[in-house]
Amino acid sequence: MSDDIPHARRDDRPEESRRVHLGRTFDEDAELYDRARPGYPPELYDDLAELAGARPGSRVLEVGCGTGQATVPLARRGCRITAVEAGPSMAALARRNLAGAGQAEVVTAEFEKWPLPDEPFDAVVSATAFHWVDPAVRVAKAADALRPGGALAVVRTQHVAGGTEEFFVEVQRCYERFDPATPPGLRLPAAEDVDGSDHAEEVARSGRFGPTVFRRYERDLTYATADYLDLLRTYSGHRALPPAARTALLECIAALIDRRYGGRVTKRHLIELGVSRLR
């Protein structure tokens, strides 16, 4: 689908003029992020082992580890991880979460500015974070970090049609009222209509990787009203709203869930893994 159709927009394409600002919002409440974000399905880690070589003993560089939601499972599977995280609060929480989980070091730094170590990595992994890295740097620096034949593995997430579908239609009235950036008539795309080719094309343009192989996973997660609001508070677009508008938006959403949907809604998440091998 074309990007100019509102319901085909991806969740992970920040405007370049706002990328740095929005990317910094996550560090404002690392504890909330750690508690509210759902993590990733087990089969994703099986595919990281198969496709990207993220197996016991492999050296993995993780770009933008956040609070360690992908780092901890990889460490427990025996990967030797160096994780780079720009947010000091997020990095500190990742270190706490990784205590006793395996061999993992968390470096507080911006990936763009971090000096690569002399020893190359078997895999570079970035889970719901690669789009916050400078697009002029991210693919080339990932390639520089890898051994010959090493893999770049990028995980992206998207909210897609499914779950409590009527709620996500109705809730647009709240967004249109309190968030002026909301396109009118916004609708969620079906999972099969979410196009991941932009990532494959970006990697191909570098000339340093072979074709990108994709795996996709869908899952429905059910949230009570308070838990759903906590999840929304971790999203950069919500966090960047003026406080009064954000409060009014969340109150509108809470009222809709409680009055029309019995205090619970189900959201369908699409998780997409793209793996590219260094030439």
Side-chain angles (χ1 to χ4, degrees):
M1 287 191 175
S2 170
D3 286 347
D4 59 3
I5 301 174
H7 63 268
R9 296 193 323 166
R10 288 196 64 105
D11 295 337
D12 54 5
R13 290 180 185 164
E15 295 177 19
E16 184 57 25
S17 62
R18 304 183 72 207
R19 176 179 53 80
V20 173
H21 167 68
L22 291 175
R24 288 173 177 164
T25 64
F26 302 108
D27 203 56
E28 295 168 356
D29 195 340
E31 295 279 355
L32 175 64
Y33 186 99
D34 190 56
R35 181 176 73 250
R37 286 293 179 108
Y40 304 98
E43 55 266 36
L44 179 141
Y45 300 100
D46 296 336
D47 287 338
L48 279 172
E50 176 191 345
L51 300 175
R55 304 185 184 96
S58 61
R59 296 188 74 244
V60 174
L61 170 61
E62 186 180 3
V63 178
C65 72
T67 62
Q69 290 183 316
T71 327
V72 171
L74 286 170
R76 286 178 175 160
R77 286 176 174 240
C79 297
R80 296 179 294 145
I81 303 170
T82 299
V84 180
E85 169 54 49
S89 297
M90 302 278 269
L93 191 47
R95 292 186 190 100
R96 189 182 80 192
N97 289 338
L98 283 159
Q103 298 184 60
E105 172 194 18
V106 179
V107 178
T108 306
E110 296 178 17
F111 177 63
E112 297 94 327
K113 300 177 181 177
W114 181 63
L116 293 174
D118 292 334
E119 185 180 357
F121 293 89
D122 299 305
V124 173
V125 176
S126 188
T128 321
F130 207 58
H131 55 286
W132 298 118
V133 181
D134 185 347
V137 173
R138 57 197 180 201
V139 174
K141 189 161 186 175
D144 291 342
L146 288 166
R147 63 165 174 78
L152 169 62
V154 173
V155 180
R156 303 204 289 176
T157 58
Q158 177 86 9
H159 181 193
V160 295
T164 313
E165 294 202 48
E166 187 60 28
F167 163 74
F168 292 106
V169 173
E170 288 195 77
V171 80
Q172 290 307 310
R173 291 198 292 270
C174 295
Y175 283 96
E176 290 177 14
R177 181 177 177 186
F178 296 110
D179 181 0
T182 303
L186 183 68
R187 294 294 181 267
L188 293 170
E192 59 268 23
D193 291 334
V194 174
D195 185 2
S197 63
D198 61 321
H199 173 67
E201 290 164 1
E202 179 184 357
V203 172
R205 282 195 301 270
S206 74
R208 302 186 65 181
F209 291 90
T212 299
V213 176
F214 289 101
R215 295 286 187 273
R216 286 182 161 200
Y217 326 87
E218 291 179 48
R219 60 178 179 169
D220 288 356
L221 298 178
T222 299
Y223 299 89
T225 302
D227 296 329
Y228 187 66
L229 296 187
D230 277 350
L231 179 68
L232 296 181
R233 289 186 183 99
T234 71
Y235 293 153
S236 60
H238 293 70
R239 297 195 65 83
L241 286 172
R246 181 171 62 247
T247 297
L249 171 63
L250 294 177
E251 287 175 350
C252 182
I253 294 170
L256 179 62
I257 297 173
D258 288 339
R259 293 172 186 168
R260 296 266 293 142
Y261 295 93
R264 300 179 74 81
V265 291
T266 298
K267 177 174 180 174
R268 180 164 296 173
H269 300 256
L270 171 67
I271 301 98
E272 183 180 57
L273 168 67
V275 178
S276 317
R277 285 278 180 181
L278 192 70
R279 293 187 187 277

